[in-house]
């Protein structure tokens, strides 16, 4: 691979609120920078000082183990002071609004705020009231940009490219921010995206987002280079979107038989946490084609890249 | 300052009276709270002593607007809007009659509350206020209210406001019973279950924003049910706020069948579409939601050809606490009393709508449907009159709006045309200086 001077890559924007609006060059810059951190993270000495003196607050309005710890580790490895704030629903019920929280936090002079919120657009709203950099760690069913970046990095490391690959995203598209960010990123990088789900889990108008639509796994996985499974968000199922978990697994759960519809050796991915036996069979999740554990590793590297690239654009950097 | 009841001569005006297809250049004389006459040369022939002569210099004179759907916070939510503040906003927007909705706390569902609202309006408001009463007790959708007594107390129509009566049997009985009193039933047609957790129009844009959509069928399903009940009962029915082509088809069929059915569209659904939501702008969150551009166009056409009868403001004041939230969590609604006419003038300037059609749908038609004496410039009618400069350009600054809440979707928008003077019952209650 031809290597540009990656370490000088700066994300010339204050926030990372979504994949939407990122240029191809910015995406590539982040992925290349993340590659460096993959190497760093495999060393014994993982520490860098690029965020030394900086304060990073992880503000999670929605519980998350994986993403929060990944961001925490990423910040710490870059030398930032990292604080985790889990804002429980009860605190919000006491009457403090999102904006109040923003104003309070702003007074503490953080440099970078990592935010997850259960409502689409909430992170953007928060960012508009803050002086620091804001990273979207997932807002409702809207975007989850670092997930899409880590997915892209995982695919690229295994296939050496993104362009021209066919990626099948399967499952609860309606409620999935992972799906939206991945669709945007993969389209931007010249991959083909196909969404596969029962019609109740496909938002009306999804085909206008530049994806192919399939409603069964045989058709959906045909020729796929990558099979990306989504968690079936049980807790968000207010309506009866699917009749039962077992019917869902029967038609849409990824087992070895359905995986065989895809290209031989197709990558199996899942953003986690997995519902084994609901959307994915253990044999596949732990099988030879699975890169699910690698995704977690890439997560830390990508988040370090985002933190580093954004911090280079901070005042007094 | 606001003059007391001297006679007023609005001279040299373009006078439009949609109640009789009048569009002339001339003078309009007002005395003793009523319109004396509108014709050429009244000023030249001499006016009563003490008459305030206003040279309108060719500006537009029209009947004061009758806003058929405004949500006011009184009683119960005076921090959002009072009858007084709403009436100030109305006067500045050329609205001389506000029809307030019963979604208050307590709800306007008994004659005493109707009486309270009327007296409170008499004492504090500078324009006419008439309440619609609740169709069901406590807006609960189950038991019908005292339609006869409420009508006698001054309720001009019956509605559950922003709520939809789910139970078809309740709706059937209400239509049947109301018929005996000649009462009009006004209904918000949105199926609660089909709306579900939806917060904006279903389609590509909602999919992009990661927001759950509201299908147009949520509206049309209820409208279609209601119109079949109207056919069954021969009641008088008005669809409170329709927004899409599918609903227009249903309405067209009912009108062709001779049913006693009419409909309103909100100014928001005529002037805006779902793309205006942009980056989650909560001031554009509405119920029913803003639709796509093709539906907006269909609504404008339906207004032009008379299928849709009324344009209303859907004025719904929401404060920072209910609007400065993530989109899905914010309350729906936008203020509109003060901007309804100028937003409509945008359509006129764009060549989408004839000004006479607009004025008719904002004055004459709602007055007719509600049995009110306004909405006309005929001799002897109450002197509810507005003077409009349809051309003057300006930038809408929310801070200058009279409403207590500033949730306008036309925030910072360029407008063309404004109300210069509003006269209610022969008194000038607003003057733009």
């Amino acid at each position: 691979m031809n290597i540009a001077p990656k370490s000088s890559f700066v994300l010339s924007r204050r926030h990372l609120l979504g994949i939407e609006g990122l240029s191809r060059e910015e995406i590539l810059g982040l992925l290349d920078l993340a590659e460096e951190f993959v190497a760093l993270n495999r060393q014994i000495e993982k520490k860098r000082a690029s965020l030394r003196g900086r304060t990073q607050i992880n503000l999670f309005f929605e519980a998350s183990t994986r993403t929060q710890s990944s961001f925490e580790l990423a910040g710490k490895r870059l030398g930032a002071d990292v604080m985790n704030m889990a804002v429980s629903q009860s605190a919000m019920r006491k009457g403090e609004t999102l904006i109040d929280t923003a104003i309070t936090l702003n007074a503490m002079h953080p440099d970078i705020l990592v935010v997850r919120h259960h409502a689409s657009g909430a992170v953007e709203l928060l960012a508009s009231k803050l002086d620091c950099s804001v990273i979207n760690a997932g807002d409702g069913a809207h975007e989850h940009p670092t997930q899409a970046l880590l997915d892209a990095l995982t695919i690229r490391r295994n296939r050496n490219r993104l362009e021209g690959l066919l990626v099948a995203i399967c499952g609860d598209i309606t409620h999935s921010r992972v799906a939206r960010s991945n669709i945007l990123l993969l389209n931007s990088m010249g991959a083909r995206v196909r969404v596969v789900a029962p019609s109740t889990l496909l938002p009306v108008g999804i085909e206008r987002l530049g994806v192919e639509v399939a409603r069964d796994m045989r058709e959906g996985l045909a020729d796929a280079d990558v099979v990306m499974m989504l968690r079936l968000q049980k807790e968000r199922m207010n309506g009866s979107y699917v009749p039962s978990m077992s019917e869902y697994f029967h038609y849409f759960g990824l087992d070895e038989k359905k995986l065989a519809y895809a290209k031989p050796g197709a990558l199996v991915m899942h953003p986690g946490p997995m519902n084994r036996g609901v959307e994915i069979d253990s044999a596949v999740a732990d099988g030879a084609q699975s890169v699910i554990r690698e995704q977690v590793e890439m997560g830390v590297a990508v988040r370090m890249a985002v933190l580093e690239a954004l911090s280079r654009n901070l005042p007094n950097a | 300052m606001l003059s007391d009841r001297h006679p007023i001569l609005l001279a040299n005006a373009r006078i439009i009276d949609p109640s009789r297809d009048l569009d002339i250049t001339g003078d309009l004389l007002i005395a003793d709270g009523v319109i004396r006459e509108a014709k050429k040369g009244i000023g030249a022939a001499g006016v009563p002593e003490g008459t305030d002569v206003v040279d309108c210099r060719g500006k537009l004179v029209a009947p004061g607007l009758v806003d058929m759907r405004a949500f006011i916070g009184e009683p119960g939510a005076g921090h959002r809007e009072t009858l007084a503040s709403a009436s100030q906003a109305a006067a500045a927007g050329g609205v001389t009659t506000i029809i307030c909705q019963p979604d208050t706390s307590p709800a306007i569902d008994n004659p005493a509350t109707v009486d309270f609202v009327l007296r409170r309006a008499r004492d504090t408001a500078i324009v006419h206020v008439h309440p619609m009463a609740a169709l069901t007790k406590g807006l609960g959708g189950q038991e019908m209210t005292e339609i006869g007594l409420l009508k006698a107390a001054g309720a001009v129509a019956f509605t559950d406001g922003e709520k939809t009566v789910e139970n078809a049997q309740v709706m059937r009985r209400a239509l049947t019973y109301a018929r005996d009193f000649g009462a009009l039933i006004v209904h918000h047609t949105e199926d609660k279950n089909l709306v579900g957790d939806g917060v904006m129009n279903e389609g590509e844009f909602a999919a992009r924003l990661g927001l759950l959509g509201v299908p147009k069928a949520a509206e049309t399903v209820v409208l279609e049910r209601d119109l079949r009940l109207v056919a069954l009962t021969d009641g008088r029915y008005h669809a409170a706020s329709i927004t899409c082509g599918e609903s227009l088809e249903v309405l067209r069929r009912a009108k062709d069948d001779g049913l006693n059915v009419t409909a309103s569209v909100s100014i928001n659904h005529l002037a805006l579409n779902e793309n205006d939501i942009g980056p989650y702008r909560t001031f554009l969150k509405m119920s029913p939601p803003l639709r796509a551009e093709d539906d907006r166009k269909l609504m404008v056409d339906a207004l032009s050809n008379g299928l849709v009868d009324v344009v209303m403001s859907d004025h719904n004041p929401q404060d920072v606490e209910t609007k400065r939230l993530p989109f899905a969590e914010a309350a729906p609604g936008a203020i509109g009393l003060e901007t309804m006419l100028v937003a409509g003038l945008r359509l006129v300037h764009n060549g989408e709508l004839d000004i006479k059609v607009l004025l008719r749908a904002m004055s004459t038609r709602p007055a007719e449907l509600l049995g009110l004496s306004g909405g006309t410039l005929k001799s002897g009618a109450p002197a509810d009159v507005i003077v409009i400069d349809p051309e003057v350009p300006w930038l809408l600054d929310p801070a200058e709006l009279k409403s207590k809440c500033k949730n306008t979707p036309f925030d910072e928008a360029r407008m063309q045309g404004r109300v210069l003077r509003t006269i209610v019952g022969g008194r000038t209650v607003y003057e733009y200086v």
Side-chain angles (χ1 to χ4, degrees):
Chain A
M1 243 192 310
N2 204 350
I3 298 171
K6 297 171 289 193
S7 53
S8 65
F9 176 74
V10 179
L11 200 53
S12 297
R13 49 179 74 234
R14 193 141 73 93
H15 310 302
L16 179 67
L17 298 177
I19 297 297
E20 187 166 26
L22 282 188
S23 68
R24 206 183 144 83
E25 289 66 35
E26 285 173 308
I27 292 168
L28 280 174
L30 287 170
L31 294 181
D32 291 345
L33 186 56
E35 288 283 5
E36 288 183 35
F37 291 119
V38 174
L40 181 76
N41 286 337
R42 288 178 178 178
Q43 297 173 16
I44 292 170
E45 174 57 59
K46 301 175 182 65
K47 199 88 169 167
R48 279 226 184 161
S50 41
L51 260 67
R52 204 165 138 191
R54 301 286 187 193
T55 302
Q56 172 191 335
I57 299 180
N58 296 336
L59 180 63
F60 279 62
F61 292 90
E62 198 180 70
S64 151
T65 318
R66 186 176 305 240
T67 307
Q68 183 172 325
S69 53
S70 181
F71 267 110
E72 182 178 356
L73 208 51
K76 284 181 169 163
R77 286 188 180 162
L78 292 174
D81 294 315
V82 184
M83 186 181 94
N84 289 317
M85 264 184 80
V87 187
S88 66
Q89 285 302 300
S90 63
M92 292 297 277
R93 274 195 217 103
K94 278 180 197 158
E96 189 175 67
T97 66
L98 185 61
I99 304 294
D100 291 333
T101 309
I103 292 167
T104 306
L105 285 174
N106 212 28
M108 298 180 191
H109 297 293
D111 299 286
I112 296 175
L113 201 64
V114 178
V115 187
R116 167 166 291 187
H117 196 280
H118 47 86
S120 300
V123 178
E124 192 171 332
L125 176 67
L126 202 67
S128 70
K129 310 288 172 191
L130 287 164
D131 298 324
C132 63
S133 279
V134 174
I135 298 172
N136 183 358
D139 65 321
H142 179 223
E143 282 233 44
H144 190 357
T146 57
Q147 178 71 43
L149 287 164
L150 77 88
D151 289 340
L153 184 63
T154 307
I155 297 170
R156 198 177 72 165
R157 285 172 63 90
N158 284 280
R159 288 291 178 269
N160 292 318
R161 66 190 167 106
L162 293 167
E163 201 172 346
L165 296 180
L166 175 60
V167 181
I169 305 177
C170 314
D172 184 2
I173 309 292
T174 295
H175 297 96
S176 178
R177 51 191 172 225
V178 175
R180 275 171 189 72
S181 286
N182 264 304
I183 290 168
L184 291 165
L185 188 149
L186 292 166
N187 273 333
S188 166
M189 300 309 288
R192 267 170 75 195
V193 183
R194 189 184 288 152
V195 293
V196 191
S199 293
T200 45
L201 296 176
L202 288 168
V204 172
I206 186 72
E207 67 288 345
R208 305 279 295 270
L209 270 62
V211 297
E212 300 163 29
V213 178
R215 291 175 176 85
D216 77 72
M217 291 292 266
R218 182 190 289 268
E219 181 199 338
L221 299 196
D223 295 323
D225 298 284
V226 179
V227 181
M228 195 180 279
M229 300 306 296
L230 298 174
R231 179 180 169 79
L232 184 61
Q233 305 271 15
K234 274 183 283 190
E235 70 275 16
R236 290 221 185 99
M237 293 285 171
N238 293 341
S240 178
Y241 288 83
V242 289
S244 73
M245 292 304 143
S246 54
E247 175 154 330
Y248 183 75
F249 182 75
H250 182 78
Y251 289 104
F252 291 95
L254 188 68
D255 52 19
E256 283 176 328
K257 184 167 159 252
K258 295 196 195 80
L259 182 56
Y261 301 144
K263 266 192 191 161
L267 301 178
V268 173
M269 303 177 73
H270 194 296
M274 282 182 282
N275 294 310
R276 288 170 186 265
V278 177
E279 70 262 352
I280 192 162
D281 189 59
S282 281
V284 173
D286 306 326
Q289 289 167 256
S290 169
V291 291
I292 295 169
R293 264 171 296 178
E294 190 178 342
Q295 284 175 276
V296 179
E297 184 189 356
M298 293 309 118
V300 180
V302 152
R303 282 158 189 138
M304 288 171 80
V306 168
L307 287 167
E308 171 105 18
L310 271 182
S311 72
R312 287 174 182 167
N313 193 43
L314 284 172
N316 310 319
Chain B
M1 194 31 218
L2 312 178
S3 55
D4 209 6
R5 293 230 277 205
H6 296 289
I8 302 173
L9 182 76
L10 300 172
N12 308 316
R14 178 185 173 194
I15 300 171
I16 294 182
D17 182 0
S19 74
R20 51 187 164 134
D21 278 327
L22 183 79
D23 185 357
I24 58 164
T25 303
D27 308 339
L28 180 99
L29 181 66
I30 292 165
D32 304 320
V34 297
I35 291 162
R36 282 298 168 80
E37 60 181 336
K39 66 173 186 183
K40 249 189 191 46
I42 301 176
V47 290
E49 206 174 325
T51 300
D52 294 333
V53 178
V54 180
D55 185 353
C56 294
R57 298 173 196 196
K59 303 288 188 258
L60 213 67
V61 165
L65 309 182
V66 177
D67 183 2
M68 201 161 161
R69 186 166 157 102
F71 297 88
I72 314 292
E74 208 170 345
H79 62 287
R80 290 222 284 265
E81 196 86 288
T82 58
L83 292 163
S85 64
S87 76
Q88 296 284 344
V95 174
T96 53
T97 301
I98 299 172
I99 309 302
C100 63
Q101 300 297 297
D103 320 40
T104 46
S105 180
I108 305 174
D109 66 355
N110 62 76
T113 313
V114 170
D115 190 53
F116 167 82
V117 169
L118 287 173
R119 277 185 296 123
R120 189 85 181 133
R122 180 196 66 201
D123 295 344
T124 63
I126 60 170
V127 304
H128 305 296
V129 176
H130 298 283
M132 284 191 193
L135 180 61
T136 64
K137 288 174 188 163
L139 307 170
Q142 293 302 324
E143 304 159 65
M144 95 178 83
T145 52
E146 297 166 322
I147 290 176
L149 294 173
L150 284 160
K151 189 160 189 273
V156 291
F158 296 83
T159 181
D160 273 358
E162 284 186 298
K163 291 216 171 98
T164 298
V165 176
E166 284 180 63
N167 187 324
Q169 178 70 290
V170 170
M171 186 51 103
R172 179 195 176 172
R173 293 228 173 94
L175 280 163
T176 307
Y177 188 82
R179 186 191 58 202
D180 296 344
F181 292 89
L184 178 67
I185 289 181
V186 179
H187 198 213
H188 180 94
T189 50
E190 269 199 314
D191 184 281
K192 192 174 81 182
N193 296 309
L194 273 175
V195 170
D197 293 328
V199 292
M200 72 171 288
N201 186 40
E202 186 169 274
E204 177 192 352
F205 203 50
R208 281 187 191 281
L209 290 173
L211 295 172
L212 292 179
V214 178
K216 291 188 272 187
E219 172 178 316
T220 311
V221 159
V222 177
L223 185 66
E224 193 140 28
R225 177 203 75 175
D226 284 356
L227 297 184
R228 284 180 190 276
L229 294 175
V230 172
L232 184 67
T233 60
D234 201 23
R236 281 184 72 207
Y237 178 91
H238 182 84
S241 177
I242 61 169
T243 65
C244 61
E246 289 82 346
S247 292
L248 292 172
E249 282 170 32
V250 175
L251 181 66
R252 162 64 66 206
R253 246 182 288 136
K255 284 195 166 186
D256 286 349
D257 291 348
L259 300 184
N260 203 337
V261 167
T262 48
S264 287
V265 59
S266 89
I267 187 64
N268 301 317
H269 292 93
L270 288 177
L272 303 164
N273 67 35
E274 60 178 354
N275 296 312
D276 291 305
I277 290 168
Y280 303 99
R281 290 177 63 202
T282 58
F283 286 3
L284 286 104
K285 182 175 177 183
M286 317 268 176
S287 166
L290 293 175
R291 304 292 183 188
E293 175 63 7
D294 52 348
D295 278 310
R296 186 197 68 81
K297 282 191 179 142
L298 289 172
M299 295 311 297
V300 175
D301 292 346
L303 183 65
S304 289
N305 65 33
L307 178 56
V308 167
D309 304 85
V310 172
V311 175
M312 49 74 185
S313 75
D314 215 9
H315 183 79
N316 190 344
Q318 297 290 340
D319 52 23
V320 170
E321 278 70 43
T322 51
K323 277 293 188 186
R324 217 167 62 172
L325 294 168
F327 195 87
E329 293 167 12
I335 56 170
L337 278 166
E338 208 166 337
T339 49
M340 155 161 102
L341 178 62
V342 287
L345 285 175
R346 265 190 176 182
L347 302 171
V348 173
H349 291 304
N350 291 345
E352 288 189 84
L353 203 58
D354 183 88
I355 188 150
K356 280 171 256 181
V357 169
L358 182 70
L359 291 171
R360 174 193 298 276
M362 288 185 175
S363 61
T364 308
R365 276 307 275 152
E368 284 169 1
L369 293 177
L370 298 167
L372 300 172
S373 50
T376 172
L377 298 177
K378 285 180 186 157
S379 300
D384 299 338
V385 182
I386 54 177
V387 183
I388 307 161
D389 178 346
E391 302 302 332
V392 58
W394 57 293
L395 194 71
L396 193 140
D397 176 2
E400 285 174 13
L401 293 175
K402 315 258 185 226
S403 187
K404 280 193 168 185
C405 291
K406 310 299 180 191
N407 56 310
T408 170
F410 301 104
D411 203 352
E412 314 269 306
R414 284 174 201 290
M415 296 298 194
Q416 190 180 357
R418 72 186 310 156
V419 174
L420 299 179
R421 180 186 290 265
T422 302
I423 299 167
V424 175
R427 282 192 184 85
T428 296
V429 296
Y430 171 82
E431 219 181 322
Y432 175 69
V433 281

